[in-house]
Amino acid sequence: MIYLIIILSFIILSYVYDYRGVTRFRLIWWLSLMVVLICVAGFRYQMGTDSIKYENEFKWLQPTLQDLRAEDFKNTRFAPLYIILSAACKSLTPEFMLVQFVVATIVNCTIFRFIWKNTPHIFLAGLLYCFFLYFMLNMEVLREAIASCVFLWSWPFFKKGKWIPYYLMSCVAFFFHVSAVVLFLLPVLWLPGVRSLFTFGKRTLLIVFFVIAMSFSIRYFLFDFVKLIALTDSMAERAEVYSKSEFGTNILNVKGAAVTLLRLIVYPLAAIYLLHKNGKITAAYDGERKMEMLSLLQVYAVCMSIGISIFLRYNHYFMIFSIILISRVAYTVVHSGKRRFHLNYVYWCMILTPLFSLQVYDLYLAPFNKSGSLKCYQMYYPYSNQFDKEISPDRKKIIQYSRRL
């Protein structure tokens, strides 16, 4: 029921504030929804497979700040800053709920602030965030969630080309999760010549097809290459693990690939196209061009994931930029040649419904186990809280199944 209330709240508020343009109490409603999402993630109990693994590590292996030793940084797959954060939490309480609240507060405050500053249609962007990123960032990839939030805090530096503070922030992100190593490459992608690959145009679809084909070609030697250039033992160890897991070997079937592409790249590409057509993205303003670049980087990462599914994790870093661009396009005047259309709210709902439907179908209704008797949504529904600590029978099966993976 709590999820339905949240979704309906975003839909109603999007109509009132995003579509109709009402301004009274807009910030109050925005902050209220942020607090609700923080509490939902903070008070959860035994939800999300990765989160449960973090909880077990916290309960049995995580020392307090007073007991923290150099060996604790060597004998773990966790990055140093996450270890320090967990140790600080355990110094205050042995309950993992504090970690959940800290991560949920960091993630939701960061994303709600980022949305507020970058799109006028905040409630639609918030609804997209709930469907596409909320569960993963708040209930699964906790370390990577913090790293992606550090990246969002570094966005003003990246946008203005202030590379020294940007790289300092990237180092902070890297010391929360090694996947943030990709952030060090972003300024290189903005170099003249290279940036043209991340500017929407006629060749964008060719690049998409090329990246998909390339994903099948390089999957056989990618992880060996990562192990070769690994900056830390942790990076090398992760590359070894992923090379032998479904993240390195899984290839989507034709149907799975088609649905993934439809739900994750069609709408961002359409949004970028319309923003160009409406003159909202121009060569005169680097900030908009860089937003476009990161959205296209999300599109290309999804294309790479068709052959190497580990690349899909970079959605956690770049999907928010596509969400911003999609929300900017919604409810605006549509240009068709010399004609201009202001679509009714119902028509916008019809346009956006397939996006949400594909996400539900391809992610939440997807089978969790090989037989299909368990579904992914059962990791999060029904909601379990810290007060009654009740777990549904299906979630118990999911937890047991994930422990064998």
Side-chain angles (χ1 to χ4, degrees), residues 10 45 49 92 112 131-132 142 169 177 250 321 341 384:
F10 272 111
Y45 177 71
T49 54
L92 297 174
F112 271 63
F131 270 80
F132 283 87
L142 305 187
M169 295 288 283
H177 198 276
N250 185 50
F321 295 94
F341 300 91
S384 301

Side-chain angles (χ1 to χ4, degrees), residues 329-369:
V329 167
Y331 311 140
T332 58
V333 175
V334 177
H335 295 259
S336 178
K338 295 182 179 180
R339 303 181 66 184
R340 294 155 58 90
F341 300 91
H342 196 290
L343 298 179
N344 185 280
Y345 181 74
V346 174
Y347 287 107
W348 281 113
C349 290
M350 292 171 63
I351 292 170
L352 292 170
T353 295
L355 176 61
F356 294 106
S357 301
L358 286 169
Q359 178 70 0
V360 172
Y361 170 77
D362 193 40
L363 185 61
Y364 299 114
L365 295 181
F368 186 88
N369 55 357

Side-chain angles (χ1 to χ4, degrees), residues 106-127:
I106 292 172
V107 169
N108 290 285
C109 286
T110 299
I111 290 181
F112 271 63
R113 177 183 179 274
F114 186 80
I115 291 174
W116 178 269
K117 287 182 170 293
N118 288 284
T119 178
H121 305 140
I122 57 173
F123 292 100
L124 175 59
L127 182 63

Side-chain angles (χ1 to χ4, degrees), residues 10-281:
F10 272 111
I11 292 173
I12 294 170
L13 293 171
S14 181
Y15 171 72
V16 173
Y17 292 103
D18 297 341
Y19 181 75
R20 294 187 58 197
V22 176
T23 57
R24 192 180 183 187
F25 301 129
R26 182 170 177 258
L27 178 59
I28 293 175
W29 279 112
W30 185 240
L31 294 178
S32 298
L33 283 174
M34 182 186 75
V35 172
V36 169
L37 290 182
I38 290 172
C39 290
V40 168
F43 283 121
R44 75 185 187 275
Y45 177 71
Q46 295 284 288
M47 294 174 62
T49 54
D50 280 1
S51 183
I52 292 173
K53 293 174 184 177
Y54 290 141
E55 183 174 357
N56 291 335
E57 294 258 358
F58 179 86
K59 185 181 297 184
W60 304 112
L61 300 176
Q62 178 65 55
T64 62
L65 281 175
Q66 295 84 350
D67 298 330
L68 203 58
R69 300 291 183 268
E71 295 76 22
D72 295 315
F73 294 95
K74 296 178 181 179
N75 302 326
T76 180
R77 62 189 178 92
F78 295 160
L81 289 181
Y82 179 79
I83 296 173
I84 294 172
L85 175 64
S86 294
C89 290
K90 193 160 188 179
S91 298
L92 297 174
T93 175
E95 297 296 326
F96 186 72
M97 185 175 70
L98 179 58
V99 177
Q100 294 180 172
F101 258 103
V102 169
V103 174
T105 302
I106 292 172
V107 169
N108 290 285
C109 286
T110 299
I111 290 181
F112 271 63
R113 177 183 179 274
F114 186 80
I115 291 174
W116 178 269
K117 287 182 170 293
N118 288 284
T119 178
H121 305 140
I122 57 173
F123 292 100
L124 175 59
L127 182 63
L128 288 165
Y129 159 63
C130 286
F131 270 80
F132 283 87
L133 291 173
Y134 177 74
F135 290 105
M136 287 302 297
L137 296 184
N138 288 274
M139 302 185 189
E140 294 290 355
V141 291
L142 305 187
R143 296 174 295 135
E144 194 170 53
I146 299 176
S148 66
C149 288
V150 174
F151 172 52
L152 294 184
W153 282 98
S154 74
W155 165 246
F157 301 126
F158 183 82
K159 183 169 64 174
K160 297 175 183 177
K162 296 181 178 180
W163 301 125
I164 292 178
Y166 170 76
Y167 272 117
L168 290 174
M169 295 288 283
S170 297
C171 288
V172 174
F174 177 78
F175 285 115
F176 271 109
H177 198 276
V178 294
S179 65
V181 68
V182 73
L183 303 182
F184 295 97
L185 303 177
L186 298 187
V188 177
L189 302 182
W190 185 245
L191 291 174
V194 181
R195 76 175 70 164
S196 63
L197 299 175
F198 298 91
T199 301
F200 186 86
K202 294 180 179 178
R203 61 182 168 185
T204 301
L205 289 180
L206 293 177
I207 296 174
V208 165
F209 288 120
F210 173 78
V211 173
I212 293 173
M214 186 172 64
S215 71
F216 293 102
S217 301
I218 70 172
R219 62 184 296 270
Y220 296 103
F221 59 83
L222 172 66
F223 292 101
D224 288 333
F225 177 71
V226 172
K227 285 185 281 186
L228 183 66
I229 65 170
L231 301 175
T232 66
D233 291 339
S234 178
M235 285 182 66
E237 185 267 336
R238 286 291 91 194
E240 177 68 26
V241 170
Y242 287 137
S243 67
K244 297 176 180 178
S245 72
E246 63 178 13
F247 292 114
T249 59
N250 185 50
I251 295 179
L252 294 175
N253 57 35
V254 175
K255 179 183 176 183
V259 174
T260 297
L261 294 175
L262 283 172
R263 72 182 175 91
L264 293 177
I265 77 168
V266 170
Y267 279 80
L269 289 178
I272 295 171
Y273 167 76
L274 291 173
L275 288 169
H276 270 282
K277 192 171 184 179
N278 295 346
K280 301 297 184 181
I281 297 179

